[in-house]
Amino acid sequence: RGPPESHGAMRLNVTSTSNVHKELVACVGWNAFNELYSCGDDKTVSRWDINGDAGGKVCDLEGYVTDMHWFPAGKGGGSTGGNDVFACSFSDGSFRILTRGGRVERHVPDAHRGACVSLRWNPDGTALATCGEDGALKTWGRNGMLRAVLEQLQHAIHAISWSPSCDAVAAGCGKDLYVKSADPGGRKTIRWKAHDGAVLAVDWSPRGDVIVSGGEDCRYRVWDAFGRALYASPAGDHPTTSCAWAPGGDAFAVGSFERAYLCDRTGWRSPGGGECADLAGFGGVFGLAWSPDGTTLAGCGGGGGVFVGQTVGDAKEWGDAEAAVSEADPRAVIVRCVSRESACTIELRDRASRLSLAHGRLVCVTTNQVCVYGADGTGRWSDQPACVLDVRDVVTLVLQCRTCFLLCTGGADGGAARVYGYEGRLICELKTQGFARPESLSDGNAALAPDACAVVDRNDARVVRFLDTNAGRPVGEDATHDLDVVHVALSQTGAPPDRRCAFVDANRDVYVVPVLRRGADVNHALGASPGSGGNARNAHRANASIVKLATMVHDVRWSDTTDMLAATSDGSLHAWYYPDAFYVDPELAPRTKLVKHCGRGVDFGKSPRIVAFDGARCTVRRVDGARIACSVSAHAPALYRHVLANQWDRAIRLCRFVKDESMWACLAAMAVANKDLNTAEIAYAAVEEVEKVQFVQAIKKIPTEEGRMAELALFRREPDEAESILLQAGAVYRAIDMHVRLFNWRRALDLAVQHRTHVDTVLYRRARYLEEAQRRETDESFKEYSRSVRVDEEAVLAKIAQEGEKEKERARPVGGGGGGGGGGGRASRDTGGPPPSVRSMMRESGSASGGSSARSRASRR
């Protein structure tokens, strides 16, 4: 295989350049009404439409403008509820707040000593940050009143940008970048050397995880919020004078002398594709601004010109289908089917601003509509929409899953996150008030599944919140981590109890957590007493449910058709065929993992992204835009199909045919999770787990089904679930005996006292344990009951034997399959006691080496 090809790369197509201003144009900005405003050294403000056509002069100014920024949409900026006001900074140290019509609302004359270089509203619209030549970084209220001086530096600050969570400001001073808390008494300021020359431009991604900067060293660089370098561009011929992130955080633009570049969020720029070469005589690009829908980029230059360009060539892929907006007509979308070598052209009423292709559905977003298209069973795409939704506001995000899609909008009403069915029915509106703004959601901090949605809390990035997609309300228990979460992903298949969330933290470690977890209310359901220590057990359970899978992970993605999970780490592709194995059998879980290197001279490079994972095919995009197709085992999806259909015999035959240890390990974990003991015994024997084979055989001898299910729950490290199963079935003694075997003496005594049975049994076995361990009793509860309860050894042994007889009487035949059995209908020879421990079985096998070898060979067969 030769080197991967770069295709589907974004490009910037300049559609209009105009020279309305007579002198240098310092800044440009879009409002929520798709109007472009520009300010020049001729002391005028001009208006432009979305196509770049001049709309006339707005007003005259009384000074030289250095920067401008529109008030955030939907934050009460005026009578219309939209961002109908904007702020301008001036070279005399002042700034003004002007209305859409050009009227001055507020004038602050002495904001800085020297020029007020730059200013930015925070995303909430509650504060305005300014910086100047005096080295001061200040925040102001909406009414122009000074709030705080965040930083006083020795050199001029040339650029600032707010974090999406409004809790920090990034500032460029000299060669360094600063991340300063917006609270004067907040966290410590982070400072690092960013460029070899002065920092001229900085912008914080709407996703919140990365910052882009440009400097006099003729480079632009991408950083995380802690100052770690993610990307550094090659040195150009001229300084980088401006940069701006697209609203969705998928791309950013940088400006230099007579050049503007369109870059992916990782920093790569396709060769010749991202460069806008139609700016001859334009001068330095001093300002860049994106339209609210993220499809149009505007820039201004030192020659007095303003350009407007469209982003084209960003193709979406899923399976064998590829969709892209036509370069000749922005109102046409071309869908190609690679396997059929066919193409379909979809005509839209307005220009397409966003495309999303997944799960056999194409969602096309225009300025006023959202159209959904589908393919038939043969793979032919229809040019007629399955549904059409009318939208008033700008669509900022589209997320798809198998049964529905999420539509996030922002605008005059503050934005909304709504879940729709592919037939156009509104399912719910997610209730994200208080922890997320719909217009700031992205595919990095939000994920969608058929029954749940995961969102990173904007107030505390360590918390991942889960919402029900049917009602829009919170579901399950929030996942709280020790570090900030930078990326989330939800599994796409299975029932709601099987839903898993994978997330990457600030240290680039990947974790998996169940969406539905047992909370603190489990004690009440089990009838635990307040002093039984159940809260501590459930707190430990909540922490233990977050499982760490790998380190130094760049990206993570779930398969669209199975529960397989893929991640890029350390220049290789890691695939977990069955991540639930970490909850079923953690010791076996590493054997279900595949690590695949590119090889043959092809390297993933730095910061690769997984753009698709369908079936056994995984597509990785390198930092330079090249796409590499990788494949995992094609037998894993087949194994999933057999298990979901409860076809265990076929699953066993498949593993025997493949002869792959990872497939056998997956089958063993799947069988235990689905309570099929026969298959679990065969699979464990295939991977030579002799102790677990013997343990499964011992479980099969337990006469009652609830006893077998409880022992399987213990095998999965779920003692609370095992206790619940036994108590609901009325097997109180087996629940007490389970805790005794786990040396959980306090819980065993609590259960005995609560159910008024076998208190003397617990005291007797506790005394025997202390006698063998040669220790004295120190627990006050046991001391108290030992004084009040008479313990008769013969009576205790008789009661234990009686419990065994009761189990035999209500025992049902042990069957295979999903019923939880594994004896194939054979009569049980169990005495009613618990299964032997692994150590005891190994001691017994060690006393008869010949018999043990024979049993091991039989287990392998």
Side-chain angles (χ1 to χ4, degrees):
R1 184 181 59 180
E5 296 181 357
S6 177
H7 64 286
M10 297 180 296
R11 297 188 300 277
L12 186 61
N13 182 22
V14 173
T15 58
S16 174
T17 57
S18 302
N19 289 77
V20 172
H21 292 276
K22 299 178 181 179
E23 298 184 29
L24 176 147
V25 182
C27 50
V28 289
W30 295 89
N31 61 16
F33 311 100
N34 283 326
E35 295 176 333
L36 176 66
Y37 278 51
S38 61
C39 301
D41 278 2
D42 55 359
K43 300 182 181 181
T44 61
V45 179
S46 298
R47 181 189 293 116
W48 316 74
D49 63 12
I50 191 69
N51 298 317
D53 297 330
K57 184 174 70 172
V58 177
C59 66
D60 293 315
L61 300 173
E62 298 179 358
Y64 296 99
V65 176
T66 57
D67 198 6
M68 70 176 296
H69 195 225
W70 281 93
F71 193 88
K75 305 304 177 184
S79 59
T80 63
N83 61 342
D84 60 346
V85 298
F86 62 97
C88 288
S89 58
F90 290 83
S91 60
D92 60 358
S94 66
F95 71 85
R96 293 176 175 84
I97 299 176
L98 296 88
T99 65
R100 182 182 173 194
R103 181 177 59 87
V104 177
E105 238 187 37
R106 293 285 187 275
H107 178 211
V108 180
D110 298 319
H112 291 270
R113 299 189 308 272
C116 181
V117 180
S118 182
L119 77 175
R120 286 292 182 271
W121 294 103
N122 68 349
D124 283 343
T126 57
L128 175 69
T130 63
C131 65
E133 291 181 337
D134 55 357
L137 175 60
K138 302 179 180 181
T139 56
W140 310 78
R142 170 67 175 80
N143 56 2
M145 298 297 294
L146 178 65
R147 287 188 177 177
V149 179
L150 298 183
E151 194 73 54
Q152 180 62 59
L153 303 176
Q154 296 180 355
H155 303 284
I157 301 177
H158 294 101
I160 56 175
S161 180
W162 283 90
S163 67
S165 57
C166 304
D167 61 349
V169 181
C173 177
K175 301 179 181 180
D176 299 334
L177 270 178
Y178 296 78
V179 174
K180 176 66 179 178
S181 173
D183 182 4
R187 63 184 182 182
K188 183 179 179 181
T189 302
I190 303 174
R191 173 187 177 184
W192 69 92
K193 181 181 178 181
H195 293 270
D196 294 330
V199 178
L200 301 179
V202 61
D203 199 17
W204 206 314
S205 170
R207 295 174 179 264
D209 53 347
V210 292
I211 300 171
V212 62
S213 64
E216 287 185 342
D217 57 355
C218 306
R219 299 177 185 268
Y220 65 88
R221 300 175 186 265
V222 181
W223 316 86
D224 67 4
F226 302 96
R228 290 174 290 200
L230 303 178
Y231 180 82
S233 70
D237 297 329
H238 303 281
T240 301
T241 52
S242 57
C243 61
W245 280 97
D250 296 325
F252 65 88
V254 294
S256 183
F257 181 75
E258 296 186 348
R259 291 290 184 271
Y261 302 98
L262 186 61
C263 309
D264 180 78
R265 65 186 180 191
T266 56
W268 66 269
R269 184 178 73 226
S270 60
E275 179 178 350
C276 172
D278 299 329
L279 300 178
F282 196 81
V285 179
F286 293 140
L288 291 170
W290 288 88
S291 62
D293 59 6
T295 61
T296 304
L297 176 69
C300 58
V306 173
F307 76 85
V308 175
Q310 308 289 333
T311 57
V312 296
D314 187 16
K316 305 296 182 181
E317 294 182 358
W318 187 83
D320 61 350
E322 179 183 280
V325 179
S326 173
E327 297 185 18
D329 185 2
R331 294 178 298 178
V333 177
I334 301 176
V335 183
R336 296 181 176 88
C337 183
V338 178
S339 61
R340 299 179 59 89
E341 297 183 353
S342 61
C344 172
T345 302
I346 298 175
E347 298 291 341
L348 302 175
R349 190 181 70 179
D350 303 306
R351 66 187 183 94
S353 60
R354 188 179 295 270
L355 299 180
S356 179
L357 177 63
H359 302 282
R361 298 290 193 279
L362 173 64
V363 180
C364 301
V365 180
T366 67
T367 54
N368 298 310
Q369 290 181 334
V370 176
C371 305
V372 180
Y373 298 85
D376 56 21
T378 62
R380 293 182 178 273
W381 287 83
S382 173
D383 58 356
Q384 298 298 321
C387 71
V388 178
L389 305 174
D390 293 328
V391 292
R392 296 181 305 166
D393 302 318
V394 176
V395 176
T396 58
L397 177 67
V398 178
L399 292 179
Q400 291 182 252
C401 68
R402 188 177 65 257
T403 59
C404 56
F405 66 96
L406 173 66
L407 209 65
C408 295
T409 58
D413 61 351
R418 299 183 177 93
V419 179
Y420 293 89
Y422 287 111
E423 72 281 0
R425 177 177 61 91
L426 175 62
I427 299 176
C428 73
E429 180 173 343
L430 299 182
K431 297 174 176 59
T432 61
Q433 293 84 357
F435 64 89
R437 293 185 295 114
E439 64 266 26
S440 66
L441 295 181
S442 66
D443 59 357
N445 58 21
L448 181 68
D451 48 59
C453 180
V455 179
V456 179
D457 194 326
R458 64 184 293 263
N459 301 317
D460 186 358
R462 300 174 301 174
V463 179
V464 179
R465 299 183 180 270
F466 302 110
L467 302 172
D468 183 6
T469 55
N470 294 317
R473 296 189 296 268
V475 63
E477 183 182 353
D478 297 340
T480 303
H481 191 48
D482 297 331
L483 300 174
D484 290 351
V485 176
V486 298
H487 182 73
V488 292
L490 284 175
S491 60
Q492 299 297 311
T493 60
D498 302 325
R499 188 72 57 226
R500 300 289 183 263
C501 175
F503 64 86
V504 182
D505 64 10
N507 279 349
R508 312 309 301 181
D509 300 333
V510 62
Y511 295 81
V512 171
V513 60
V515 173
L516 298 179
R517 295 181 292 166
R518 287 177 180 264
D521 294 337
V522 70
N523 282 336
H524 178 73
L526 298 179
S529 60
S532 62
N535 292 332
R537 288 200 314 276
N538 287 301
H540 173 73
R541 177 192 177 96
N543 293 333
S545 61
I546 301 179
V547 179
K548 183 177 179 178
L549 301 187
T551 60
M552 301 305 296
V553 171
H554 301 292
D555 196 15
V556 64
R557 188 182 183 96
W558 292 91
S559 170
D560 291 335
T561 55
T562 63
D563 275 341
M564 291 189 292
L565 180 67
T568 53
S569 173
D570 196 20
S572 58
L573 178 69
H574 296 238
W576 291 268
Y577 290 141
Y578 189 58
D580 270 9
F582 286 93
Y583 298 101
V584 176
D585 189 350
E587 298 174 355
L588 188 68
R591 303 170 73 173
T592 65
K593 175 182 175 182
L594 169 71
V595 179
K596 191 166 187 178
H597 303 277
C598 286
R600 298 188 182 182
V602 180
D603 186 16
F604 284 139
K606 188 177 181 180
S607 302
R609 290 175 53 200
I610 304 175
V611 295
F613 189 12
D614 181 22
R617 182 173 178 266
C618 189
T619 305
V620 179
R621 187 171 69 182
R622 298 194 316 196
V623 71
D624 60 356
R627 301 196 180 195
I628 304 173
C630 303
S631 62
V632 299
S633 175
H635 302 98
L639 182 63
Y640 270 96
R641 289 193 295 269
H642 293 323
V643 171
L644 290 176
N646 209 26
Q647 299 172 343
W648 296 102
D649 291 339
R650 292 190 177 184
I652 293 173
R653 289 199 298 267
L654 174 65
C655 292
R656 285 173 175 167
F657 171 77
V658 176
K659 298 179 181 179
D660 186 357
E661 182 182 275
S662 61
M663 291 294 101
W664 279 114
C666 290
L667 181 60
M670 291 176 177
V672 173
N674 289 274
K675 306 177 179 62
D676 190 286
L677 298 178
N678 282 335
T679 305
E681 181 181 358
I682 296 172
Y684 275 124
V687 294
E688 299 184 355
E689 293 283 351
V690 180
E691 301 89 346
K692 295 175 183 177
V693 171
Q694 293 176 339
F695 190 77
V696 171
Q697 290 173 346
I699 293 177
K700 290 166 62 177
K701 295 177 182 179
I702 298 177
T704 59
E705 182 178 357
E706 62 269 14
R708 296 189 294 272
M709 297 303 100
E711 292 300 327
L712 280 177
L714 281 181
F715 182 80
R716 300 194 304 269
R717 281 76 168 172
E718 298 287 352
D720 291 338
E721 181 182 348
E723 178 185 312
S724 177
I725 293 172
L726 294 174
L727 293 181
Q728 289 177 4
V732 177
Y733 170 70
R734 184 169 280 277
I736 295 174
D737 179 71
M738 177 193 71
H739 285 291
V740 170
R741 289 185 286 120
L742 295 176
F743 301 102
N744 192 359
W745 298 102
R746 177 66 67 85
R747 182 58 181 165
L749 182 61
D750 290 342
L751 286 177
V753 172
Q754 179 181 351
H755 294 276
R756 299 179 181 180
T757 181
H758 286 286
V759 177
D760 55 346
T761 303
V762 176
L763 294 176
Y764 168 74
R765 298 183 66 173
R766 170 78 169 182
R768 291 288 305 273
Y769 163 74
L770 293 176
E771 181 182 353
E772 294 180 1
Q774 297 181 355
R775 298 176 60 184
R776 299 179 59 183
E777 182 63 72
T778 58
D779 194 300
E780 295 298 331
S781 298
F782 279 92
K783 288 182 180 180
E784 178 182 354
Y785 282 102
S786 296
R787 290 190 294 265
S788 60
V789 177
R790 180 175 176 272
V791 178
D792 186 350
E793 181 177 359
E794 293 183 0
V796 169
L797 296 178
K799 290 170 64 176
I800 294 176
Q802 186 180 4
E803 291 290 346
E805 294 298 327
K806 289 181 180 180
E807 282 197 354
K808 289 181 180 180
E809 291 177 1
R810 69 171 185 268
R812 292 187 290 270
V814 181
R826 295 186 297 272
S828 174
R829 296 176 295 174
D830 183 49
T831 60
S837 65
V838 174
R839 291 182 179 179
S840 64
M841 289 187 294
M842 294 304 293
R843 286 197 298 267
E844 293 174 1
S845 62
S847 62
S849 58
S852 175
S853 301
R855 285 194 300 272
S856 299
R857 290 192 295 270
S859 298
R860 292 189 183 94
R861 289 195 294 270

